[in-house]
Structures are given as structure tokens and as C-alpha cells.
Amino acid sequence: MSIEIKTATAEPIRQTFSHTRRRFGDKPASRYQEASFDIEAATNFHYRPLWQPDKLLNDPTRTAVRMADWYSVSDPRQFYYGAYVQTRAKMQENAEHDYAFCEKRNLLATLDASNREQIARLLLPLRHAELGANMNNSGIAADGFGTSLTQLHMFHAMDRLGIAQYLSRIGLMLDDGGTDLLAEAKRQWLEDPAWQGLRRYVEDSLVVRDWFELTLAQNLVSDGLLYPLVFHKFDEQLCARGAGQVGMLTEFMRLWYAETQRWVDALVKTVIGESAENRQLVEGWVANWQARALEALAPLAEIVLDASALDTVAGEFAARLKKLGLAGAAQ
């Protein structure tokens, strides 16, 4: 008796899930598409939120910005949960290596008193601003519409918590494991006149009701001016003064900022490209928060940086706005 072996090919009825097929066609979808598009509930809610009975649980009217489809917002990094976690794990591994290297060789002990004072004065109080950014992005993730947009802000919120912890670790290393410098940083945040402008900016942003205005105030304007000023200009000054080892401890922040401003820019471009009304709203919000941010950062720039540092940062930010198509907001 002979045995004949044959192969049979079963053609799948559909190539992908229903929600990605409706948007992208009946073809295999990427993991990012499967996890990011058209999966937020939009109909058949059982109740309205008791704290906001005029809205649905997922309601696109929580912002004055209007989009025909909020899922037109996408992440140029293609981050869904799995890709995000893998990328951050690799970044954290590199950061942990740098922190361990500094701790093992006690590199911060070689800093002179002037550099130590400047680092404690300008870097450590920022951990409170980072916690404010964490709260703001968490709120945007709760109020925003569309998973491709809300997950961006939730990932961002977790990043800000991590950055606050890294800043706290720098304080612990400077203080040889003690907490006196962190306590002093909190006092500066609450009482030092130089910090009150930024503190007011952060606290006022916490109560902004329109979530898109809030993402502009926090993720475009505040970060767009603060990060280049502190983590680039200040780092350059420390290197020039022989304190370049501190740059190892803030490299995570620089890499993170370079990566995340890509999705912020993509978000703004998509929204202002939708309509003239959106562009007008965004330009007004950006102009208002930009003026406030520059005023808040001026006293901090004077603490340890030369007078031209903030002007340089402001010029670079104006060029970024112009590239986004918001040249009028940068005047």
C-alpha cells in the first residue's frame, strides 16, 4: 500500500480584524494599527459621568478643537504598549549603567562647591515640575478622544514620572544618600522667587479644562522652552566648567526630548491642517502660553546661565513653530 502526502492551503476568509479592515482595508495590519485605531468605545454607554453629566464617557467635545476623525492623529514612532515598553526598557538600561558608573566611582564628589550649588539650584526643583507634567498628561489621556491620541499622553505621563525620579536620584547622589538637598529643592519650589513663575505656570496648567490647550501648554510650549534651556544650555555650561560627568545623568532627558517632540509636532500639524478654525485656536493658545513660559523661565536663566541663553532657546522655538506652520504665534 502506498501513502501519498498532499498539502492543502486554507485561504483565510479575512486578513485582519474588523476594526482595522474597516479603516485600512482587508490586508494584514501592523501591531501598532491593531492596538491603536478604532478600539475606544464610542456608542452604547450605560450612563453619563456623574461628575460631568453633559458629556459622554468618551466625548470629543471636551476640547474646542474639532476633528472629523481624531484617529487621523498617529504616532510617527509607531508606539503601542509593547513597542513603548521595549524602547523605554532599553533606554532605562543605558541610564542605569550611567548612574551605576557615577555612583561606583563617586564622580559627583569631584564637583566643586559652585557647580554643586548650581546643580542643586537649577535641576533638583524641576522634579516638582515633572510631577505636574505627569498629572497633566494623565488628565489628557482621560479626557482625550481616540486611542491613537490618548495612549501617546499616557506613555508621556509615565515618562515624566520616571524623569522626576531620575532628578531625585541626582539629588541623593549629590547629598551622599541624604535627603537635605531634596528638602531644600522643595523649599525653593515653594518659596524661592526665581521659581514662582514656573510654579504658577504649572499650577495654572493643572486646572485647564480644554485638554488640547493643555497639551499645547505642557508638551509643546513648556517642554519646548524648558528642556533646551536646562538640559542643553545648562549642560553645555557644566561641561565648559569641568562638570561634564553630570551630563551622563541627564542624557536620558535629552534623548527622550529629541524622540518625543516628534509626536508633539505631528499632533499639532495634523490638527491645524484640519481647518482654519483649528489653526486660529491653536495659534492663540500657543501665543498666550509662550509669553507666560518665557516670563517664567527668565529668572531661572539668570541663576546660572548668561543672558543670551534664553534668547537663543526662544529663537530656536520660534523656528520650530514656523516649521509647524504657526509662524504667527511666534511673534
Side-chain angles (χ1 to χ4, degrees):
M1 182 178 68
S2 63
I3 299 176
E4 184 177 356
I5 300 176
K6 295 183 178 181
T7 59
T9 301
E11 292 293 335
I13 298 175
R14 295 186 302 181
Q15 301 294 323
T16 187
F17 297 103
S18 295
H19 68 288
T20 52
R21 183 180 64 170
R22 286 190 292 269
R23 180 170 291 273
F24 302 108
D26 190 21
K27 57 185 179 181
S30 68
R31 289 291 181 90
Y32 172 70
Q33 291 171 336
E34 291 176 355
S36 306
F37 291 89
D38 298 309
I39 59 176
E40 181 175 88
T43 57
N44 302 324
F45 296 114
H46 294 287
Y47 59 90
R48 288 178 178 268
L50 297 177
W51 64 91
Q52 206 173 26
D54 60 319
K55 305 292 184 185
L56 296 173
L57 287 175
N58 298 326
D59 198 318
T61 65
R62 285 192 173 93
T63 176
V65 168
R66 293 291 175 261
M67 297 286 289
D69 179 16
W70 274 108
Y71 282 103
S72 60
V73 174
S74 62
D75 187 350
R77 306 165 301 175
Q78 301 284 287
F79 275 4
Y80 62 98
Y81 181 76
Y84 164 76
V85 169
Q86 291 174 6
T87 301
R88 287 294 176 268
K90 188 172 183 179
M91 289 179 66
Q92 184 178 13
E93 182 180 354
N94 292 333
E96 290 296 327
H97 179 272
D98 290 342
Y99 275 75
F101 184 89
C102 286
E103 288 178 331
K104 183 177 181 180
R105 289 158 179 80
N106 202 20
L107 293 184
L108 296 191
T110 62
L111 294 173
D112 60 38
S114 176
N115 284 330
R116 287 172 59 87
E117 181 183 355
Q118 289 188 357
I119 294 166
R121 183 89 187 276
L122 191 59
L123 282 186
L124 301 190
L126 279 179
R127 68 195 189 107
H128 299 285
E130 289 298 318
L131 290 173
N134 165 265
M135 294 175 66
N136 280 336
N137 280 284
S138 296
I140 297 166
D143 290 344
F145 188 85
T147 306
S148 64
L149 182 141
T150 56
Q151 70 180 1
L152 283 169
H153 291 90
M154 198 66 251
F155 297 156
H156 213 57
M158 294 301 99
D159 290 341
R160 309 312 287 265
L161 184 60
I163 291 172
Q165 292 172 341
Y166 278 136
L167 291 171
S168 298
R169 287 180 64 179
I170 292 174
L172 293 173
M173 291 171 66
L174 277 174
D175 207 11
D176 197 24
T179 59
D180 289 345
L181 284 180
L182 294 181
E184 173 60 19
K186 181 179 180 180
R187 188 201 65 77
Q188 290 180 30
W189 177 256
L190 294 174
E191 300 175 8
D192 190 332
W195 283 98
Q196 298 317 296
L198 183 60
R199 178 188 166 201
R200 181 175 182 179
Y201 187 105
V202 171
E203 292 181 356
D204 285 352
S205 70
L206 291 173
V207 294
V208 172
R209 297 297 298 273
D210 189 301
W211 64 262
F212 197 85
E213 179 184 1
L214 180 55
T215 198
L216 293 174
Q218 177 64 68
N219 301 320
L220 176 64
V221 178
S222 178
D223 293 351
L225 293 168
L226 178 62
Y227 267 70
L229 181 69
V230 175
F231 296 111
H232 286 273
K233 298 302 180 185
F234 184 46
D235 179 68
E236 291 172 2
Q237 178 172 300
L238 288 174
C239 289
R241 297 180 55 174
Q245 63 267 46
V246 180
M248 295 179 62
L249 306 180
T250 56
E251 180 66 7
F252 180 95
M253 292 71 152
R254 285 184 292 276
L255 294 175
W256 174 87
Y257 175 71
E259 173 211 284
T260 56
Q261 66 178 339
R262 292 172 54 207
W263 74 257
V264 176
D265 289 354
L267 169 63
V268 175
K269 277 186 176 180
T270 301
V271 167
I272 66 175
E274 178 81 1
S275 68
E277 291 77 10
N278 283 356
R279 179 185 297 274
Q280 185 177 5
L281 269 175
V282 170
E283 287 186 342
W285 283 333
V286 169
N288 173 55
W289 289 102
Q290 181 185 8
R292 292 193 56 179
L294 289 172
E295 182 182 1
L297 292 175
L300 298 179
E302 294 174 0
I303 292 177
V304 293
L305 298 168
D306 59 77
S308 64
L310 185 57
D311 292 337
T312 302
V313 168
E316 293 170 351
F317 184 69
R320 179 183 174 190
L321 292 181
K322 185 176 181 179
K323 188 175 181 180
L324 292 175
L326 293 173
Q331 301 302 319

